[in-house]
Amino acid sequence: MSQVDLTRRLALLGITPDDAKVIEPFRLKLYDAMDGIVFRFYRFLQSQPEGQRFFPDDNRINQLVPKQREHWRRLFNCEFDEAYIKGCQAIGHAHLVNGVAPYLYIAGYTFFLVELQNFAVMNFANPQELRTILAVVTRLVHLDMDLALSVYTREVVQLVAAKAAQGH
């Protein structure tokens, strides 16, 4: 992804450099709570038939929790550098090759978004501050989902183009 593409996506979602300052109080409080959110996420997945296929026991979950925690921390640091973009793309690719359907991916992001919104509501009483934090959290989560799911789109477009080139 080029810097122009990233800049365009940030603008479309309304993400600005000021968001890093706005989200800082949330981010600092979230660090201590992130492990709990991540563990609840994996427990939720294990409770679903689709998730049981990927997480039949805790071994894989225990490997993924630190990676998941670090990914969310990078997102809320609002440093959209090449490492972050490549990380999102690698995550999207890993989910694609492991057969995680887009609807499951969206369900996972929905789980996190609701958890993050609930965390904000429980930790920020000032209505204006809460509205601003909720807006930034929503934008950032959607950026992350966009970057990861774009891998699916790119792979499908490449498959269609390859089949077309073969005359199918």
Side-chain angles (χ1 to χ4, degrees):
M1 168 178 292
S2 73
Q3 188 61 43
V4 171
D5 289 337
L6 177 60
T7 300
R8 192 179 86 245
R9 288 176 190 221
L10 292 171
L12 283 169
L13 290 169
I15 297 171
T16 70
D18 290 339
D19 288 341
K21 292 179 197 119
V22 168
I23 203 73
E24 185 173 10
F26 173 84
R27 176 176 49 87
L28 294 174
K29 289 183 179 189
L30 180 65
Y31 282 169
D32 292 334
M34 186 50 76
D35 280 355
I37 294 171
V38 172
F39 275 111
R40 284 192 299 280
F41 169 68
Y42 286 117
R43 291 292 175 249
F44 168 74
L45 288 180
Q46 282 182 315
S47 75
Q48 305 299 312
E50 297 92 339
Q52 290 171 2
R53 182 176 132 228
F54 298 106
F55 305 107
D57 58 48
D58 289 347
N59 292 333
R60 185 72 179 130
I61 291 171
N62 291 334
Q63 294 171 343
L64 291 174
V65 166
K67 293 177 183 181
Q68 185 80 254
R69 177 183 55 235
E70 185 57 32
H71 178 75
W72 288 100
R73 284 183 177 178
R74 279 194 326 215
L75 174 63
F76 288 109
N77 281 337
C78 297
E79 294 176 7
F80 309 117
D81 56 10
E82 188 174 334
Y84 168 74
I85 301 302
K86 286 186 180 199
C88 286
Q89 292 172 334
I91 291 166
H93 184 74
H95 285 87
L96 176 67
V97 299
N98 285 300
V100 178
Y103 78 92
L104 292 173
Y105 217 87
I106 293 167
Y109 272 100
T110 300
F111 181 92
F112 267 98
L113 183 57
V114 169
E115 286 281 323
L116 295 166
Q117 290 170 337
N118 287 337
F119 180 81
V121 168
M122 297 301 292
N123 285 278
F124 296 92
N126 178 293
Q128 180 57 41
E129 182 181 30
L130 179 59
R131 278 194 298 275
T132 305
I133 287 172
L134 289 173
V136 173
V137 166
T138 302
R139 288 196 221 41
L140 292 174
V141 169
H142 282 87
L143 171 69
D144 200 69
M145 183 170 53
D146 169 38
L147 295 175
L149 284 174
S150 291
V151 172
Y152 286 73
T153 305
R154 186 176 59 247
E155 296 278 338
V156 168
V157 168
Q158 289 173 350
L159 285 172
V160 169
K163 284 187 179 196
Q166 295 173 351
H168 291 100

